[in-house]
Amino acid sequence: MGIKENREANKELSELYRVSSILEDALATGEMGNHTTPTLEVFSEKELSPLDIMKEEVNKCTKCSLYQQRNHVVFGAGKTDSPSLMLIGEGPGYNEDRTGIPFIGKAGQYLDKWLTSISLTRDDIYIGNIVKCRPPNNRNPYPEEEEACTGYLIRQIEIIKPKYILCLGKVAGNALSGEQTNMAGLRNKERIYHGVPFIVTFHPAAVLRNPSYRKDVWSDLQVIAKTLNLEVNGRKKKSEIR
Ligand code: URA
Ligand code: SF4
């Protein structure tokens, strides 16, 4: 039975319950009073969005061996109705696995600064990952793990419909471009993934280890700001909104 039919059946049962309790009282007391009875919730099925349904499915996923050591699936977080930007990282680390929230460790706090610099907050964007369970000791995901998990990412993109994607790091860049190349080959080129344009920049953890990447990240963020018509340090960029 669908949710709509359930709701109809619920209403009918509540009404039946209400009428029968009035009749019962009338029989007992000999009069028909003013009756209000609480709604009888026969079916507790709540309305789930396609993304909620998917999340329940992924929380139980055992499609690759990463499920064995996970504490939490890190499904993704943020604005789910056509955000201007979706960020895609590699996979959960220690803190993310503990909490189920993407990018909340050191790299995540640094990432927040990047967002602030182009007038964005986490509530404006959606953050996802290539694999949704933590690879042991933060190793890169194996190809078979990426393969098992990217179907979920594609479904997320189709449901959420971000206008633009920024890949964080080589793992995400390789996965979305389908090209096994280094950062120099991945950066400075707009590609399309399942209908959504994307570019690749360094992973915030890599920039924390290697501050010399900072100017490249800054220049990539300028591309995002220009494309999405975002303010940079208080200055509005003159460009088309996409
Ligand atoms: N690094 C990632 O790639 N993703 C996260 O969610 C956290 C750290
Ligand atoms: Fe499933 Fe992805 Fe977790 Fe592997 S990483 S178990 S495919 S959710």
Side-chain angles (χ1 to χ4, degrees):
M1 199 188 299
I3 289 168
K4 208 168 150 204
E5 286 93 321
N6 271 350
R7 223 188 283 123
E8 283 308 312
N10 236 343
K11 255 200 264 168
E12 278 169 25
L13 275 167
S14 293
E15 184 58 18
L16 262 176
Y17 180 77
R18 196 178 70 81
V19 170
S20 70
S21 76
I22 291 171
L23 288 173
E24 255 172 38
D25 284 5
L27 281 171
T29 63
E31 59 181 59
M32 302 279 274
N34 260 346
H35 283 260
T36 48
T37 44
T39 311
L40 183 67
E41 284 299 328
V42 178
F43 302 101
S44 62
E45 195 178 318
K46 58 180 167 81
E47 247 173 287
L48 291 174
S49 71
L51 205 64
D52 290 335
I53 292 167
M54 190 187 151
K55 189 172 179 176
E56 289 196 352
E57 178 187 336
V58 182
N59 278 338
K60 291 181 274 189
C61 179
T62 56
K63 284 208 290 183
C64 82
S65 58
L66 292 181
Y67 86 89
Q68 289 165 349
Q69 291 181 56
R70 75 175 172 227
N71 288 297
H72 286 96
V73 169
V74 179
F75 183 73
K79 180 169 156 63
T80 55
D81 55 330
S82 199
S84 55
L85 188 64
M86 176 170 180
L87 302 182
I88 300 181
E90 177 178 318
Y94 175 85
N95 293 294
E96 293 76 19
D97 174 65
R98 292 274 141 196
T99 57
I101 304 165
F103 280 101
I104 51 153
K106 256 197 187 150
Q109 287 158 30
Y110 186 38
L111 180 63
D112 285 339
K113 291 189 183 170
W114 299 9
L115 293 174
T116 307
S117 79
I118 51 171
S119 322
L120 291 174
T121 68
R122 282 190 184 228
D123 294 339
D124 300 323
I125 62 159
Y126 193 83
I127 306 184
N129 277 304
I130 297 297
V131 291
K132 301 190 180 338
C133 305
R134 183 191 182 209
N137 304 315
N138 298 347
R139 65 157 168 78
N140 284 358
Y142 295 141
E144 61 270 24
E145 294 162 351
E146 289 188 18
E147 217 168 280
C149 212
T150 43
Y152 294 134
L153 183 69
I154 295 165
R155 264 166 73 193
Q156 271 175 313
I157 292 171
E158 285 168 355
I159 294 171
I160 295 166
K161 297 185 173 49
K163 295 191 182 68
Y164 209 85
I165 290 172
L166 176 62
C167 279
L168 302 171
K170 188 168 171 286
V171 167
N174 288 154
L176 265 67
S177 68
E179 295 168 34
Q180 293 309 303
T181 177
N182 60 14
M183 283 303 293
L186 291 168
R187 284 187 59 248
N188 295 314
K189 185 173 172 188
E190 189 182 273
R191 297 169 172 87
I192 307 282
Y193 188 70
H194 292 267
V196 185
F198 73 94
I199 58 167
V200 185
T201 195
F202 289 97
H203 193 286
V207 188
L208 283 174
R209 286 192 302 267
N210 238 311
S212 66
Y213 298 152
R214 274 160 56 178
K215 64 175 189 332
D216 285 341
V217 170
W218 178 245
S219 122
D220 296 337
L221 290 174
Q222 302 311 297
V223 172
I224 296 288
K226 197 170 172 198
T227 310
L228 302 176
N229 199 29
L230 301 166
E231 283 186 32
V232 178
N233 294 335
R235 226 164 12 94
K236 192 110 181 161
K237 284 273 158 183
K238 289 190 225 87
S239 69
E240 298 291 303
I241 299 176
R242 330 179 24 166

